[in-house]
Structures are given as C-alpha cells and as structure tokens.
Amino acid sequence: MLNSPGESLKERESFEKIQSYFKKSKEKKTSGFLNKILGNNNLGDIIFERLTLLFAVLVFSLVIFMGWEMYSHSVLSIKQFGLNFLVNSTWDPAITQVFGALPMIFGTIVSSLIGLIIAVPLGLSVAVFLSELAPAWLEKPLSFLTELLAGIPSVIYGLWGIFVLVPWLRDVVEPFLQNEFPNSPFFQGAPYGYGMLAAGLILSIMVLPIISSISRDILKSVPDAQREAAYALGATRWEVTKIVLSNARSGLLGAIMLGFGRAIGETMAVTMVIGNRAGISASLFDPSYTMASVLANEFTEATTDLYLNALIELALVLFIITILINMLAHLLVWSTERKWK
Amino acid sequence: MKINEQIDISAIVEENIQPQMASKISVKDLSAFFGKTKVLKNISIELPEKKVVAIIGPSGCGKSTFLRSINRMHEVVGGTITGNIFLDGEDIMKLDPVYLRRKIGMVFQKPNPFPTMSIFNNVVAGLKLNGFRNRKALKEIVEKSLKAAALWDEVKDNLNDSGANISGGQQQRLCIARTIAVNPDVILMDEPASALDPISTAKIEELIFELKKDFTIIIVTHNMQQAARVSDYTAFFYMGELVEYSDTKKMFTAPDKKQTEDYITGRFG
C-alpha cells in the first residue's frame, strides 16, 4: 500500500531509533562483567553453553548410572536364574532360595490395567468436558481440583484404602458381586477386601488426575480452526468433539501411557491394600503382589546375597518397564504437539 | 451512522444495475457484540443470489464478524447479535444452526483440512456428518466436488493420502471442495487466499469466478485488487459500519464517499 510522504518520514525516524538502540546494546554486551575478565566476546557464551550441557549430561548419566548399579548388584541372580527370572512363578526366599518374578510382574501389570480400565473413560470424559464443554468460569476451578488429586501423598490414599475402601469392598461390593455372578472366574474366593480389586481401584483414583489433566492439555492444543471447520460443515457439538478427539488421538494415547507408567511405579498405596501375597489368580478378590510392593516390604529382610540380588534384579525389571512406557508416552505426546507447530 | 443512506445505496444497486436480481440474504439492522463491545453497528445490506459480493475494509472493521454472523459462527465463539438476517426470507435465528451451516458453507483464511482424514474423506466429511453413507454416490460427489474446486487432476491418484500432506493452495481448494460437497446455497469465504502464494491465489480467484454460476458467494478480503477482480458488488466496512455498498466497477472508479476513496487509493488502512 502507498504511504503518504509524512508517514514514510516517520517510519525512517523510528527505524533509525531502532538501529541506534541495537548499537547501544551491542556496546553494552562487550563491556559486560564476564567479558571484562575474560577479554573475549564469545568466551562467556561458550562457558555458559558448556556448563548447561554438563548439567544436562549429568542428569542423563545419573539414569545410566542407576541402571548400571542395579545391573551390577544383581549379577548373582541374573547368572543363577537367567531369563527364568521373568517366567518362573516361585518366589521362595525362606527355604529353596528360588526367585521368579512372574507373580509380581503379573500383579503389577494387572493392577495397573484395572486402574486404567476405570480411570481412562472417566479421565477422558473429564478432559472432554473441561476442554470442549465447560464454561470458562467452571473450567479453571475444576481443572485445579482434579490436579489437586495428583498432589495427595500416596500413603494417604493407602490409609483411606485401609479404613474406607477395603471394609466397603469386603462388606458390600465383593459379596454383591459374588451373589450376582456366582460362576465368574473373576469373583471367586473369600472376600477379604484386601486384594487385586482394592489395588486397582486405588490406582484408578491416583492416575485419574494425570490422565485427565494431560488429556485436557492435548485437546486444548488442537487448533480452533479444526473445530470451526467442523462447525461450518454443520457438525453438532458431539460431532465436533469426535473430530477433535480423532485429531488428538496419539496424544491421548500418550496421556494414558503416562498414567500407566504412574500406576506401575506406585508403591505405598498399593502395598497397603493389595494383600502382599505372591500368586497368580484370575480372581480379583485374591491378594496379589506388585514389584514395587515386594521391594518396599522385603528389602530389610533380605538376609542372603542371592535374595538381595534377586530384589535388585526385580527393581531393574521395574525400572526398565517404566522407562520404556514413559519413553513411548512422551514420543506419542510429542508427535501430536509437533503436528501443530 | 446514517442507516437510511445505506438502504438507499443498496436500493440503487438493485434498481439501476441489476433490476431483476433476487436477494439471497437480506440483513436488517444487524449489530454484533463480543461481550459489551459492539463490533458491528446497525448493518443493513442485501446480498444478491449467484453473485460475488466482496467485503473490504481495514483490519478490525468487522468484516469477519459480519461473515460469521451469517452462518451463526459468531455465537460459537461467544458473541451475540441483534437485528435480523434472512436467508430466502427465513430468519436465520429461528433456524437450527446445524441446518443453517449446511445451507451456508464457509471457507476460512487458513486452510483447515482434517489432518487425520484422507483427501477423499475430507471432501465427504460434511456428507458423512449428515449420515450419508452410499459409497458409490460418495465417489461421484468426491469427483464432482474436486473437479469443481479445480483440484481433481492434481489429487485423483492419491485420494487416500492425508489431507494435510498437500500444498497450502491445494489444501485450500480441498476445503472449498469439502464446502461445495454438501451443496450449500451460499459460500462464505474469509480471506481465502491471504495465506497463499500468488499462483495459488490466482487459482482460487478463477475458481470463485466459476463457482458463482451455482453459488452465492460472499468473500472477505484485504486485497483490493482481488475484490476488484472477482466480485460483482463490493461493500466497504469501516469501524463496524457499512460505509458504502455498490457495484464493484463503480466502487473502484467513482466511489460516493470520501472515506471509501481514501481507503481504495491507499491513504489509510
């Protein structure tokens, strides 16, 4: 567009002002404290860069170091049991000294899956409501409250589990399920309250805020242009939401995986309600054991070297599974976010 | 603002230039708000059928809001309107917005195909929302719509590719194909070429020329040459008011208002 002569003159003046500002700031830079000492314009930058790099590498090497430490302290058990450690279901520290982690791997994965089966539909619904439907005045406080759930120490969840959840399961839910589905393999055995079901329920409450808050962020990162495109085609609110969800699907999967990672590593609350007995059973009423609970419970009792090595190998397995799941989750979340930039 | 004067202008347009033309959309005393801010002030305008009307004006003058009031997208982002808009004599505020938006399609400034859908599914997205599932008929519609959007030859071999993997100009034509696939009466275009390179822009402009045989088109544009090239009538908006509305040729050669002339000749905006 054409400018009147007066305007272009103004523009030129402001352009000169900007130029002189940059000149000044450049002068300032060369007279900086670090540069005065070092007498070099770029050395400060180089030091800064190397220093931050060092810290970044330090954090990363910490992870490698931990992995290495666990490996080197479990060599005894790795040599003795090999891959059998992962598929053997006997955990007998007392007499035969045979260690197989299968029941704990089973307990960890199944309790986490139960948690997810309950938490995923709830968490996604909360996220859809917060990002797509809730009015602005409701969104903020509700998001805050759901995120608050994530901040409660897990021992408190555990206590709540022992005093509220377990008695309720024992006296109400489990007898009811047993009456309604007498032939279901999932509801067999004495209803103790303590067991897989209690652990799964506690975990579902604990991962709910993670799934819902990350999913909400993912849904919010879907550009409004997508929603408008759908609305302009004559989509209803539900149809618009479907399009938003399909845009965000890999990020949502990532959110679920992060929740899964959290559930797998959860120790205290699960240990307090799962019953702590190594065994593989289809019944949700039966006590079970998770890798994290074994470590918490038995570390102080490990009297022989092999026992200790087996426990550390168990930690290594948990460590690797958690890292893999988190990596996958971050990869998925990152791939959706990148798409929009 | 002298509302009467505007009505007079549009009356002149109807009587003197196109006496036989029918009004597709008739806007009466339309005001639009964001919260308490009035962004459109008492607009009255007649938009003729199967013509291209360009809306020009500086940024923030309410062009886009005007466009988005017509298909009730303004209320999706929390805005409100007063006054009336009639589509074929029916008050749009009394129509179901979902139905209305199927009659009045919209093309946006930035191409926004659905990235998770193939080109084929992008074109029929609106039809599928309507519950249309006949595969054979869908194929025909896809071909027809892509041809109408001048995109068929470029994508006919990759209909199953993602709608996000083609160039920006192709994406925009895909969005146009998606809009015409549901066979609306009116197409609203909100600066459809402003994010595109000159060649893609030229293609879109040619396309608009073709499309007006079948559709009533209302196009918001920053580019006055574009308005002059593609439109039959031009409306100039300034500060939320309709300053002038007349035949495009007249608007760009002998505008009635000083403000219009200043804007068109580039003295402000």
Side-chain angles (χ1 to χ4, degrees):
Chain A
M1 207 152 299
L2 286 166
N3 283 316
S4 63
E7 259 180 346
S8 63
L9 196 68
K10 240 188 238 166
E11 262 177 27
R12 197 175 308 143
E13 268 171 25
S14 60
F15 178 68
E16 274 162 15
K17 252 184 214 166
I18 291 168
Q19 265 193 329
S20 70
Y21 171 78
F22 274 119
K23 250 186 209 162
K24 258 185 214 162
S25 70
K26 224 179 183 179
E27 280 160 21
K28 221 177 181 180
K29 211 174 164 189
T30 46
S31 64
F33 161 73
L34 251 178
N35 292 310
K36 244 184 203 165
I37 298 175
L38 302 165
N40 186 328
N41 216 352
N42 291 325
L43 202 58
D45 271 0
I46 292 170
I47 291 176
F48 177 62
E49 190 198 312
R50 294 286 150 86
L51 213 60
T52 46
L53 178 73
L54 179 74
F55 292 137
V57 169
L58 221 62
V59 171
F60 182 69
S61 49
L62 201 64
V63 175
I64 303 283
F65 176 69
M66 279 168 73
W68 169 251
E69 275 294 286
M70 278 190 264
Y71 171 76
S72 64
H73 284 88
S74 57
V75 172
L76 218 57
S77 133
I78 291 173
K79 271 194 186 141
Q80 176 119 6
F81 305 114
L83 280 177
N84 260 338
F85 186 78
L86 298 176
V87 293
N88 187 356
S89 56
T90 314
W91 183 267
D92 181 15
I95 303 154
T96 55
Q97 292 266 320
V98 170
F99 299 99
L102 192 62
M104 291 75 166
I105 296 174
F106 172 84
T108 303
I109 305 256
V110 171
S111 63
S112 301
L113 282 178
I114 294 171
L116 279 189
I117 287 169
I118 301 166
V120 167
L122 282 174
L124 289 186
S125 317
V126 170
V128 165
F129 177 73
L130 288 178
S131 97
E132 304 299 308
L133 306 171
W137 60 270
L138 198 60
E139 193 205 320
K140 280 264 155 63
L142 270 184
S143 309
F144 175 72
L145 282 175
T146 43
E147 271 159 42
L148 205 66
L149 279 177
I152 298 174
S154 66
V155 66
I156 293 177
Y157 280 109
L159 278 180
W160 177 81
I162 289 176
F163 289 115
V164 181
L165 183 66
V166 166
W168 179 63
L169 286 178
R170 184 185 59 219
D171 300 334
V172 182
V173 178
E174 294 186 352
F176 168 80
L177 286 172
Q178 224 156 28
N179 270 335
E180 291 295 310
F181 309 99
N183 299 321
S184 165
F186 300 122
F187 308 127
Q188 297 300 317
Y192 296 116
Y194 291 98
M196 192 67 100
L197 187 60
L201 283 172
I202 283 272
L203 283 175
S204 74
I205 299 169
M206 296 180 77
V207 299
L208 178 68
I210 294 171
I211 293 179
S212 68
S213 66
I214 297 173
S215 304
R216 192 205 58 181
D217 290 347
I218 298 275
L219 292 178
K220 288 217 138 189
S221 79
V222 174
D224 278 338
Q226 288 291 310
R227 293 183 182 88
E228 292 192 329
Y231 272 122
L233 279 175
T236 60
R237 224 170 187 189
W238 164 237
E239 289 159 349
V240 174
T241 307
K242 273 200 291 191
I243 282 176
V244 172
L245 285 174
S246 96
N247 272 315
R249 58 195 172 190
S250 63
L252 294 177
L253 201 60
I256 292 168
M257 299 292 282
L258 282 176
F260 192 52
R262 170 91 166 88
I264 276 182
E266 175 48 40
T267 310
M268 205 59 225
V270 173
T271 309
M272 288 164 89
V273 299
I274 200 167
N276 299 328
R277 202 184 67 199
I280 296 175
S281 157
S283 174
L284 300 179
F285 295 175
D286 279 347
S288 183
Y289 220 169
T290 68
M291 290 185 267
S293 317
V294 175
L295 292 172
N297 277 328
E298 299 188 7
F299 213 77
T300 48
E301 305 163 4
T303 43
T304 66
D305 281 347
L306 186 63
Y307 192 4
L308 195 63
N309 273 248
L311 282 175
I312 295 173
E313 190 180 352
L314 200 61
L316 186 64
V317 172
L318 181 60
F319 181 74
I320 291 170
I321 292 178
T322 318
I323 284 183
L324 286 180
I325 285 173
N326 272 298
M327 269 164 57
L328 195 62
H330 280 289
L331 200 71
L332 288 169
V333 173
W334 171 77
S335 78
T336 33
E337 280 173 355
R338 194 192 49 153
K339 217 186 297 167
W340 304 122
K341 276 169 192 164
Chain B
M1 190 69 224
K2 292 153 242 160
I3 304 150
N4 292 333
E5 209 169 77
Q6 287 160 24
I7 292 173
D8 285 343
I9 291 166
S10 52
I12 291 165
V13 169
E14 286 195 39
E15 283 167 20
N16 296 352
I17 302 154
Q18 288 281 326
Q20 75 280 17
M21 85 188 171
S23 184
K24 184 73 187 173
I25 294 173
S26 156
V27 179
K28 309 268 190 226
D29 198 26
L30 172 75
S31 295
F33 304 82
F34 277 113
K36 284 192 175 122
T37 319
K38 198 172 184 179
V39 287
L40 275 185
K41 295 165 190 166
N42 310 87
I43 308 287
S44 294
I45 190 170
E46 301 289 327
L47 304 166
E49 187 165 17
K50 295 194 178 165
K51 296 285 172 197
V52 179
V53 176
I55 313 240
I56 60 170
S59 298
C61 69
K63 308 183 293 273
S64 290
T65 306
F66 174 71
L67 208 61
R68 298 163 71 94
S69 299
I70 297 175
N71 68 344
R72 295 182 62 178
M73 289 290 282
H74 183 57
E75 59 196 79
V76 171
V77 289
T80 50
I81 66 167
T82 62
N84 298 97
I85 301 172
F86 298 96
L87 172 69
D88 293 326
E90 276 185 288
D91 187 345
I92 63 156
M93 294 314 282
K94 295 204 175 95
L95 294 172
D96 177 9
V98 168
Y99 168 79
L100 177 75
R101 290 180 199 130
R102 284 166 194 182
K103 301 279 273 184
I104 304 180
M106 186 163 189
V107 177
F108 295 83
Q109 178 172 5
K110 220 178 135 213
N112 55 1
F114 300 122
T116 53
M117 293 184 195
S118 65
I119 291 173
F120 185 96
N121 282 329
N122 259 290
V123 177
V124 297
L127 289 163
K128 282 194 169 168
L129 289 176
N130 288 334
F132 197 91
R133 286 277 182 277
N134 183 338
R135 185 81 194 165
K136 200 173 155 227
L138 284 179
K139 264 186 185 161
E140 278 169 24
I141 291 170
V142 166
E143 182 170 347
K144 210 177 120 216
S145 309
L146 285 172
K147 275 181 178 160
L151 188 60
W152 175 252
D153 290 332
E154 290 159 61
V155 300
K156 65 182 175 206
D157 299 322
N158 331 318
L159 289 177
N160 291 321
D161 285 6
S162 162
N165 287 348
I166 48 181
S167 77
Q170 289 174 327
Q171 285 184 21
Q172 192 63 303
R173 278 178 282 146
L174 177 59
C175 291
I176 293 174
R178 180 175 71 185
T179 305
I180 57 190
V182 290
N183 199 22
D185 293 353
V186 181
I187 301 176
L188 308 175
M189 296 187 171
D190 191 352
E191 300 185 35
S194 69
L196 306 179
D197 62 89
I199 293 168
S200 303
T201 302
K203 279 189 179 159
I204 300 275
E205 286 177 8
E206 268 170 45
L207 184 55
I208 291 170
F209 198 76
E210 286 298 312
L211 288 175
K212 77 170 176 185
K213 288 174 193 154
D214 300 309
F215 305 97
T216 303
I217 296 172
I218 303 160
I219 175 171
V220 161
T221 177
H222 256 119
N223 180 333
M224 272 168 294
Q225 286 80 10
Q226 184 171 70
R229 282 193 297 262
V230 302
S231 71
D232 301 299
Y233 302 97
T234 302
F236 172 54
F237 278 55
Y238 184 59
M239 306 273 282
E241 293 174 9
L242 175 61
V243 176
E244 186 164 350
Y245 177 41
S246 69
D247 180 84
T248 297
K249 210 179 262 170
K250 178 174 183 298
M251 183 78 123
F252 282 94
T253 50
D256 286 334
K257 301 274 174 64
K258 178 85 172 54
Q259 253 177 336
T260 315
E261 194 180 342
D262 286 352
Y263 181 68
I264 287 169
T265 53
R267 271 192 216 129
F268 78 96

